[in-house]
Amino acid sequence: MEPVGLSLGQPREERADAARNRARLIEVAREMVAELGADKVTMDGLAERAGLGKGTVFRRFRTRAGIFHALLDEEEKRFQERLMSGRPPLGPGAPAVERLVAFGQARLEFLVEHTVLARAALDPGQPVPIGDGPSLFHVQMLLNEACPDAASSGALALQLVAALEGPILLYLQSADAPSPMVNDLIASWQVLVERVAVS
Amino acid sequence: MEPVGLSLGQPREERADAARNRARLIEVAREMVAELGADKVTMDGLAERAGLGKGTVFRRFRTRAGIFHALLDEEEKRFQERLMSGRPPLGPGAPAVERLVAFGQARLEFLVEHTVLARAALDPGQPVPIGDGPSLFHVQMLLNEACPDAASSGALALQLVAALEGPILLYLQSADAPSPMVNDLIASWQVLVERVAVS
């Protein structure tokens, strides 16, 4: 039996079409980024190459940055899976502090690997997505385990996520700013977390 | 004797005029923010009320956000003076860890007090000014004193500045995001710094 909420208005084939279009657009967008570079990908160009109407592309992504946001989202899902069910210490099964250290290293490498996408996904005038979503949730969970006394307000988790993602996400916005040294950031994240988690 | 570089081209009265115009514009802009709110301050409105040409205002500030940036700059200078020559523990004369704790509290209060200006000074498409300038310099200096072993790469100072300023500066960009609890941020900044500085 289908839940009532889902059977109103939307025939099942239409939903299937929308899902197919979305998958097609993501695949074509990924090809275009790889071939042409993110700078050259436009809403119109994507519609044309995917053989879909411009209206479909605009409804799906709303802005040009929305295309890259969707591509980054796919990568984020894969990253989240490694946290949820990957091998320890990134995945479950290691002490919380070790998981925090591993998370920081993996997250910094993720942000660096997807620099081009992350830069293109930043929408001028929109907030930088720090402290927003899964990273904050994950850090809060591990802090609760490692040092419940200090972590209770949520402020410490927010500060640690800003410490981790801030340097890379913020420098991303100005193309001519110097790249932070990722290995230095990984090393100092470990210092930060190991010292904070002493309780 | 005047240095050669300064005597070329610019008569002294012209420089004095420019300084007077700048001071006048800052004063009028501050009045307008107080009376009308930052939202209502425009380049044209400022020129008219200051009795100066539009060209003068545009040359001075370049963008509307530039007006608020200049106002915030004046406040920043006063803040920097408290760090350099104010009473301890914010000013010189206290142990480095105590100064870091005091700096975090004062900085968070500063950012909250100037929320309206700081929000108006954010230029869409421009980088958020974290890790940029005096805060980074100050934190690096105190970290060098408190834990020279961990601070040498500069990455830890950058992460701590992002931890401190990130939550407030980033939330500022979306007017409807929830305000972080400042007292919680002040308390967890103290935890962060006191634990990091154990060496």
Side-chain angles (χ1 to χ4, degrees), chain B residues 76-185:
Chain B
E76 288 276 12
K77 277 180 208 151
R78 240 165 283 166
F79 184 77
Q80 296 305 321
E81 270 162 31
R82 293 167 61 203
L83 302 182
M84 307 283 280
S85 51
R87 293 205 320 213
L90 189 58
V97 178
E98 282 175 43
R99 292 193 71 192
L100 277 168
V101 171
F103 169 73
Q105 170 161 359
R107 190 69 190 164
L108 285 165
E109 286 166 352
F110 175 88
L111 290 173
V112 169
E113 185 185 342
H114 299 103
T115 294
V116 173
L117 274 187
R119 183 182 295 152
L122 286 175
D123 217 341
Q126 291 299 305
V128 177
I130 286 185
D132 168 26
S135 287
L136 183 60
F137 180 83
H138 191 68
V139 169
Q140 179 70 62
M141 180 192 76
L142 294 173
L143 275 182
N144 283 344
E145 195 181 324
C147 49
D149 54 321
S152 63
S153 77
L156 190 60
L158 188 56
Q159 287 176 333
L160 286 179
V161 171
L164 181 63
E165 303 196 338
I168 295 203
L169 283 181
L170 295 167
Y171 278 121
L172 282 183
Q173 290 195 59
S174 70
D176 45 297
S179 272
M181 307 291 106
V182 177
N183 287 337
D184 290 337
L185 290 170

Side-chain angles (χ1 to χ4, degrees), chain A residues 2-30:
Chain A
E2 205 165 72
V4 177
L6 287 180
S7 66
L8 289 172
Q10 293 243 67
R12 186 172 286 185
E13 309 90 79
E14 240 181 75
R15 292 201 305 276
D17 264 7
R20 256 197 307 277
N21 283 348
R22 181 175 194 287
R24 170 94 185 120
L25 285 170
I26 293 284
E27 186 197 326
V28 173
R30 190 175 286 128

